[in-house]
Amino acid sequence: MVHADPKPLLDELEKKGDQLSIVTLVDHLVVYAQALGASDIHIDPTESNVRVRMRVDGVLQNCCTFPKEIQNEVIARVKVLSGLRTDEHNAPQDGRFRRKGDSESEVVDVRVSIAPTYYGENVVMRLLTDRAAQLTLDALGFSPSDRAKIERAIKMTSGMILSTGPTGSGKTTTLYTLIKMLNSDDISIVTIEDPIEYAISGIEQIQVNPQGGLTFANGLRSILRQDPNVIMVGEIRDSETAGIAVNTALTGHLLLSTLHTNDAATTLPRLLDMKIEPYLVASTVAVAIGQRLVRRLCSACKESYLPSEAERIGLSESLPKDVPLMTGELYRGVGCDECVGTGYRGRVGVNEVLVIDDEIREAILKKASASDIRTIAIENGMTTMLNDGIQKATTGETTIAEVLRVIHE
């Protein structure tokens, strides 16, 4: 990662009148965000100025403020880059643009969302780099045993693999990683997404367009006529999509998708809530992956320490009773130039992989609760997200505080 230097951006902001270039200012903003490793840039108008924040490793950080006088010019520049209407100020608009750097490796796609607010138009820019599409299961934080479970599942010719978690937990990145592993000349892969995050060579990718009548459900019906082996549905949002997805998996297709649930075990009752018959859920779902993203400790400034007895007691009270009290060293980030004083740099997943075995199928048929399914899965060898996170904390990848923050948020 290039060292993030805010000086060019701040220097440009200090210029007055004709000396200030809005084109250069917006360009510096994107360059700084890219160097910082930010996933999003928030340009928020207030009563007296324009606040700029960046989401780094999942946490929003203040960046700078723009004078109120240049608010409209900055937003107009973003609209021009994104091919949006500059004369429309009272309706939401979505677009995207690509910024090319000095080398091919510096290319970044920027997805833009603009919405009217009380103090003017708000802009959120999502930075999409090819790096996320190049990841492996190992780099995503999956343990060797969990990787083996997923690798067995993607060798199946039919069934469903579901990635679950809240917004921003890395579900789509996990699906892209699986798609990349499956991508070969003898397999036809079709995706339907909203939006398409990364373009992958050799895969047919379809963008949802509700205004044109192309929804997940309608698109999935069309995909079935495209003779696919593997189908990726960006998200199962409603009963109609869920019903078509299950029937697709039942008729000889491997289907990958995401679902908004708190953990892997809740995935199965959630499908029942979507009016899917228990026997269909039991016979189609192969694996449910629960995941969160925690900040990774900065390798340049992390240090080990021995917690005090009071800290250990407080920690044990924050954890479930079945988690043993930790007696060894823990790790923390001191903060340095490399991590901009945060003590963290980058993120890693904490995961759980629930394999649908005969015992769990029987529980689904009996409409068992998520907690009952979770208990069976743990007895059959599933490592929970919390335990996976604690393991990563004890090896110095992250901190206990970070794991608790993300798991319990």
Side-chain angles (χ1 to χ4, degrees), residues 21 31 104 112 150 158 161-162 167 194 203 208 211 221 244 299 317-320 331 339 347 358 375 383:
S21 167
V31 170
E104 291 184 11
V112 177
I150 295 171
S158 65
I161 298 174
L162 299 174
T167 301
D194 183 24
I203 293 174
V208 164
Q211 289 79 14
R221 289 192 187 95
I244 301 169
S299 58
E317 290 174 351
S318 303
L319 296 170
Y331 295 81
C339 59
R347 287 191 289 178
D358 290 339
T375 299
T383 302

Side-chain angles (χ1 to χ4, degrees), residues 93-387:
Q93 296 191 71
D94 296 308
R96 64 194 302 156
F97 66 89
R98 170 169 287 194
R99 185 200 172 275
K100 295 184 178 180
D102 298 330
S103 66
E104 291 184 11
S105 62
E106 293 181 24
V107 172
V108 58
D109 283 311
V110 182
R111 196 173 76 224
V112 177
S113 173
I114 297 178
T117 69
Y118 186 74
Y119 291 116
E121 291 173 287
N122 172 282
V123 178
V124 177
M125 293 187 276
R126 166 68 56 90
L127 276 62
L128 304 168
T129 65
D130 289 337
R131 186 188 68 81
Q134 307 294 327
L135 290 173
T136 63
L137 290 177
D138 183 40
L140 290 176
F142 286 95
S143 67
S145 61
D146 284 347
R147 288 203 303 274
K149 294 174 185 175
I150 295 171
E151 286 163 1
R152 281 196 297 271
I154 64 174
K155 290 177 182 175
M156 298 169 57
T157 56
S158 65
M160 294 176 69
I161 298 174
L162 299 174
S163 179
T164 71
T167 301
S169 59
K171 301 186 299 296
T172 302
T173 301
T174 297
L175 290 193
Y176 273 111
T177 302
L178 299 184
I179 287 292
K180 190 190 76 170
M181 292 168 66
L182 288 164
N183 193 11
S184 64
D185 291 338
D186 59 345
I187 292 178
S188 170
I189 302 175
V190 184
T191 76
I192 179 160
E193 307 170 57
D194 183 24
I196 294 173
E197 299 273 4
Y198 312 102
I200 302 178
S201 177
I203 293 174
E204 302 299 324
Q205 294 174 272
I206 300 170
Q207 167 76 51
V208 164
N209 179 18
Q211 289 79 14
L214 181 56
T215 62
F216 278 121
N218 291 339
L220 192 45
R221 289 192 187 95
S222 300
I223 286 173
L224 290 174
R225 296 190 287 273
Q226 295 282 311
D227 187 32
N229 299 104
V230 179
I231 299 170
M232 184 183 105
V233 180
E235 183 184 348
I236 295 176
R237 295 179 177 172
D238 51 51
S239 299
E240 184 182 14
T241 306
I244 301 169
V246 165
N247 283 303
T248 298
L250 200 62
T251 54
H253 301 86
L254 182 62
L255 187 135
L256 284 61
S257 191
T258 68
L259 204 62
H260 284 277
T261 63
N262 288 331
D263 56 28
T266 312
T267 303
L268 307 169
R270 176 78 180 111
L271 289 172
L272 298 181
D273 288 343
M274 289 181 164
K275 311 302 181 189
I276 306 300
E277 291 295 331
Y279 76 92
L280 289 174
V281 176
S283 57
T284 55
V285 180
V287 162
I289 304 167
Q291 58 188 97
R292 297 288 192 280
L293 291 173
V294 296
R295 290 181 291 173
R296 193 192 294 268
L297 276 170
C298 174
S299 58
C301 68
K302 75 175 178 182
E303 64 176 19
S304 61
Y305 71 101
L306 277 172
S308 67
E309 191 60 30
E311 285 179 284
R312 290 191 191 281
I313 293 171
L315 183 58
S316 66
E317 290 174 351
S318 303
L319 296 170
K321 290 182 171 57
D322 58 343
V323 177
L325 181 65
M326 283 164 287
T327 57
E329 290 184 332
L330 293 178
Y331 295 81
R332 60 191 170 198
V334 178
C336 64
D337 291 340
E338 293 291 323
C339 59
V340 201
T342 63
Y344 298 96
R345 188 175 178 187
R347 287 191 289 178
V348 66
V350 292
N351 315 288
E352 60 187 21
V353 178
L354 190 160
V355 177
I356 312 304
D357 57 21
D358 290 339
E359 279 189 70
I360 291 184
R361 287 191 188 96
E362 190 174 330
I364 295 169
L365 292 172
K366 294 177 180 176
K367 297 187 177 180
S369 67
S371 60
D372 290 341
I373 292 172
R374 179 184 177 85
T375 299
I376 296 170
I378 292 171
E379 288 173 354
N380 292 350
M382 183 183 82
T383 302
T384 65
M385 280 186 285
L386 179 59
N387 284 331

Side-chain angles (χ1 to χ4, degrees), residues 57-109:
D57 298 333
V59 179
L60 276 174
Q61 301 177 4
N62 284 322
C63 171
C64 59
T65 57
F66 292 168
K68 192 72 174 176
E69 298 75 45
I70 66 170
Q71 172 181 321
N72 293 336
E73 294 176 75
V74 169
I75 293 169
R77 173 58 184 166
V78 174
K79 286 181 176 179
V80 169
L81 286 170
S82 312
L84 302 178
R85 289 183 56 181
T86 56
D87 61 343
E88 176 59 74
H89 305 288
N90 297 310
Q93 296 191 71
D94 296 308
R96 64 194 302 156
F97 66 89
R98 170 169 287 194
R99 185 200 172 275
K100 295 184 178 180
D102 298 330
S103 66
E104 291 184 11
S105 62
E106 293 181 24
V107 172
V108 58
D109 283 311

